[in-house]
Amino acid sequence: MTVLAFDIFGTVLDTSEIIQEFRTKQLEYTWLLTLMGKYMDFEEITKRALMHVLKSRHEEHRFEEELRKWRNLKAYKDAIYLKDISKLVDIYALSNGSVNEVREHLNRNGLLSYFKGIFSAESVKEYKPSPKVYKYFMSSIKDEDAYLVSSNPFDVIGAKNAGMKAIYVNRRNLIVDPLDYEPDVTVRDFEELYKWISNKKG
């Protein structure tokens, strides 16, 4: 049976409205901490990354406003297809965000009921693209036909490196630099993903 593990930030939730320098710094912190063998809660990383960027702009007064934007991210419009996808296959969340944070985001956007479960990097105390994150999911699900679904190229590469299949959602029409790890499937959006699953099931 096919199982899909959806990345959340940037794949299900649209991060284009937040300061992109902040998003980049947030990811940079997760990578640095993992490489250094240290761990910090993702929400704390988010706050520190945001404050760093705002301080560099001399805009610390915008901290609460920008943090609210992050906490109220909207799902992409094509997320409506998650309902139909969930009727064909089991879908899970696989995120750097904490279980509680991801649950709140999905619930706020009316998507939570479509997911069978939420898996977080907090369980292994390392962040994507650490192999531990993907292997934790695969060992928990025990399904050989498990795919990561992500619009973040580094995430796709991380999943493939860990021995997991991957579907690249090419939302921004980017050329992936795969480091010899090509996605198994590439789609433009969740509508195309739904069609692919329908054909696969058929």
Side-chain angles (χ1 to χ4, degrees):
M1 179 179 179
T2 302
V3 170
L4 303 182
F6 282 80
D7 169 63
I8 300 301
F9 301 114
T11 301
V12 175
L13 301 178
D14 186 356
T15 59
S16 65
E17 295 301 314
I18 65 170
I19 301 170
Q20 290 309 297
E21 189 182 351
F22 150 54
R23 174 63 172 156
T24 299
K25 181 61 65 174
Q26 180 194 51
L27 288 171
E28 180 186 322
Y29 282 174
T30 63
W31 296 335
L32 279 171
L33 285 163
T34 297
L35 283 169
M36 293 188 298
K38 297 183 180 296
Y39 178 78
M40 183 184 295
D41 180 85
F42 190 69
E43 292 180 60
E44 181 64 22
I45 290 173
T46 297
K47 291 176 183 178
R48 293 194 186 195
L50 177 57
M51 182 55 77
H52 172 80
V53 170
L54 292 178
K55 277 185 176 180
S56 69
R57 297 180 171 202
H58 306 289
E59 296 178 347
E60 295 96 319
H61 63 282
R62 293 177 56 196
F63 179 78
E64 292 300 331
E65 172 193 348
E66 295 299 325
L67 188 60
R68 254 193 317 274
K69 286 183 182 178
W70 174 261
R71 289 175 172 169
N72 290 277
L73 292 172
K74 303 297 184 206
Y76 283 100
K77 291 182 179 179
D78 62 336
I80 59 172
Y81 283 94
L82 290 175
K83 180 179 181 180
D84 296 321
I85 293 170
S86 69
K87 291 177 180 177
L88 297 177
V89 296
D90 289 341
I91 69 173
Y92 297 85
L94 180 59
S95 177
N96 276 337
S98 69
V99 170
N100 286 338
E101 181 180 10
V102 171
R103 183 183 293 115
E104 288 173 7
H105 276 295
L106 294 176
N107 188 50
R108 190 179 299 113
N109 283 278
L111 303 173
L112 183 60
S113 63
Y114 307 141
F115 289 80
K116 284 203 69 175
I118 298 170
F119 289 81
S120 168
E122 68 183 350
S123 295
V124 297
K125 300 294 188 287
E126 291 188 11
Y127 289 104
K128 299 191 229 176
S130 166
K132 287 185 180 179
V133 181
Y134 311 99
K135 289 181 178 179
Y136 158 63
F137 176 78
M138 289 188 289
S139 65
S140 300
I141 297 300
K142 294 182 174 60
D143 193 307
E144 293 182 359
D145 200 31
Y147 291 79
L148 173 79
V149 180
S150 182
S151 65
N152 296 304
F154 78 87
D155 201 11
V156 171
I157 293 168
K160 294 295 293 182
N161 175 62
M164 188 174 180
K165 297 175 184 177
I167 299 170
Y168 177 47
V169 184
N170 192 359
R171 293 193 176 282
R172 297 176 293 278
N173 196 29
L174 297 176
I175 298 174
V176 181
D177 179 6
L179 286 175
D180 296 327
Y181 293 105
E182 295 282 355
D184 296 275
V185 180
T186 298
V187 296
R188 288 173 298 181
D189 52 30
F190 289 166
E191 179 181 5
E192 197 168 295
L193 175 62
Y194 170 67
K195 291 176 181 176
W196 176 79
I197 294 169
S198 296
N199 290 334
K200 191 174 190 290
K201 296 288 286 186

